C-alpha cells in the first residue's frame, strides 16, 4: 500500500538543521499469521522519482528510491527473527530496484526488539512513528518506534534512535507498507490514522540558539 504525500516534483526536503519529517500510522490487526522467522512486515519512507510515481492503483515498480525502511517480524507465538524490528536504508539509491519486496536492496542500521520476546496482539491499537530530523552536521537523527498493548517486545513498545551521518536522501514523498501475505503477517490491517507532518523550527528558536552558541564562543 503506497501513498504519495507531495507532488512528484516537490518532495519534502530537509534543508536546515532542525527540519523534521514525521509519519504517524495507527492501526490494528486481526487474523495473525503463522509463526515464522521472516521480516515479512515492511515499511518504507522514501523519495520516488516523479517519472516512476504510480498514476493508478498498482504495486510500485523498480526505481532509484532513496530513504529508509523497516523490516519487521510478525510471528504468531513470539518474535522469531534475530532482528525483529530493524531499521534499514537503501543500499544504493542510484541503483534501480524493487521498493520493498527484496531485502537485498536495503542495508541494516539498527534493531529495536528482541527475538523470543512477546509478539503482536490482535485488535490492539498500535502507533508507529518514524521521524527524520536534519542535524547540524548534515546527518539525520532517526526515530522509529511502535507502541500498543502490553505484549509486544514484552513491554508494549520497540524504539530505535539512530543517527545516519551520511544519508542518501534528504527529500521524501512516499510512504509504503508491505505485509507480504496473510500467513506471514496478518489477514487484516485496519488503519485509523495516517498523518505526515513537516516541521521546521520557529525563526525565534533558531535566533536564540545562535545567540547561545555565540555566548559560549565568547
Amino acid at each position: 500500500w503506497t501513498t504519495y504525500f507531495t507532488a512528484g516534483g516537490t518532495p519534502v526536503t530537509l534543508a536546515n538543521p532542525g527540519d523534521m519529517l514525521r509519519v504517524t500510522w495507527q492501526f490494528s490487526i486481526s487474523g495473525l499469521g503463522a509463526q515464522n522467522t521472516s521480516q515479512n512486515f515492511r515499511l518504507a519512507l522514501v523519495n520516488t522519482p516523479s517519472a516512476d510515481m504510480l498514476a493508478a492503483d498498482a504495486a510500485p515498480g523498480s526505481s532509484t528510491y532513496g530513504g529508509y525502511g523497516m523490516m519487521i517480524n510478525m510471528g504468531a507465538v513470539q518474535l522469531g527473527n534475530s532482528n525483529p524490528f530493524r531499521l534499514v536504508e537503501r543500499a544504493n539509491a542510484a541503483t534501480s530496484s524493487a521498493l520493498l519486496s527484496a531485502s537485498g536492496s536495503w542495508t541494516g542500521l539498527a534493531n529495536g526488539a528482541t527475538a523470543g520476546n512477546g509478539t503482536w496482539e490482535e485488535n490492539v491499537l498500535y502507533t508507529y512513528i518514524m521521524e527524520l530530523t536534519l542535524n547540524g552536521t548534515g546527518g539525520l537523527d532517526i526515530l522509529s518506534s511502535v507502541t500498543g498493548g502490553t505484549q509486544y517486545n514484552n513491554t508494549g513498545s520497540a524504539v530505535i534512535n539512530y543517527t545516519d551521518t551520511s544519508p542518501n536522501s534528504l527529500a521524501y514523498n512516499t510512504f509504503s507498507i508491505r505485509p507480504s501475505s496473510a500467513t506471514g503477517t496478518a489477514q487484516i490491517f485496519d488503519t485509523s490514522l495516517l498523518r505526515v507532518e513537516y516541521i521546521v523550527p520557529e525563526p525565534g528558536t533558531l535566533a536564540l540558539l545562535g545567540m547561545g552558541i555565540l555566548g559560549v564562543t565568547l
Side-chain angles (χ1 to χ4, degrees), residues 8 47-53 63-66 173-174:
N47 188 58
T48 303
S50 56
D52 295 323
M53 295 178 77
S63 185
T64 52
Y65 303 103
N173 60 14
T174 305

Side-chain angles (χ1 to χ4, degrees), residues 79 84 112-115 117-120 150-159:
L79 297 179
T114 302
N117 279 1
T119 191
W120 303 79
T150 59
Q151 179 175 295
Y152 183 70
N153 197 34
N154 289 356
T155 61
S157 69
V159 180

Side-chain angles (χ1 to χ4, degrees), residues 96-193:
S96 180
S97 60
L99 179 52
L100 280 170
S101 59
S103 58
S105 298
W106 300 86
T107 298
L109 299 178
N111 176 60
T114 302
N117 279 1
T119 191
W120 303 79
E121 300 172 78
E122 297 192 17
N123 304 312
V124 165
L125 182 65
Y126 289 100
T127 299
Y128 174 77
I129 294 175
M130 181 177 279
E131 291 181 355
L132 309 178
T133 305
L134 185 65
N135 61 36
T137 59
L140 286 177
D141 297 329
I142 303 168
L143 166 68
S144 178
S145 70
V146 66
T147 56
T150 59
Q151 179 175 295
Y152 183 70
N153 197 34
N154 289 356
T155 61
S157 69
V159 180
I160 295 171
N161 284 288
Y162 181 86
T163 296
D164 187 353
T165 58
S166 55
N168 62 31
S169 180
L170 296 178
Y172 301 89
N173 60 14
T174 305
F175 183 65
S176 189
I177 304 164
R178 184 183 184 272
S180 64
S181 67
T183 55
T185 53
Q187 295 179 16
I188 296 173
F189 287 76
D190 187 2
T191 293
S192 57
L193 173 70

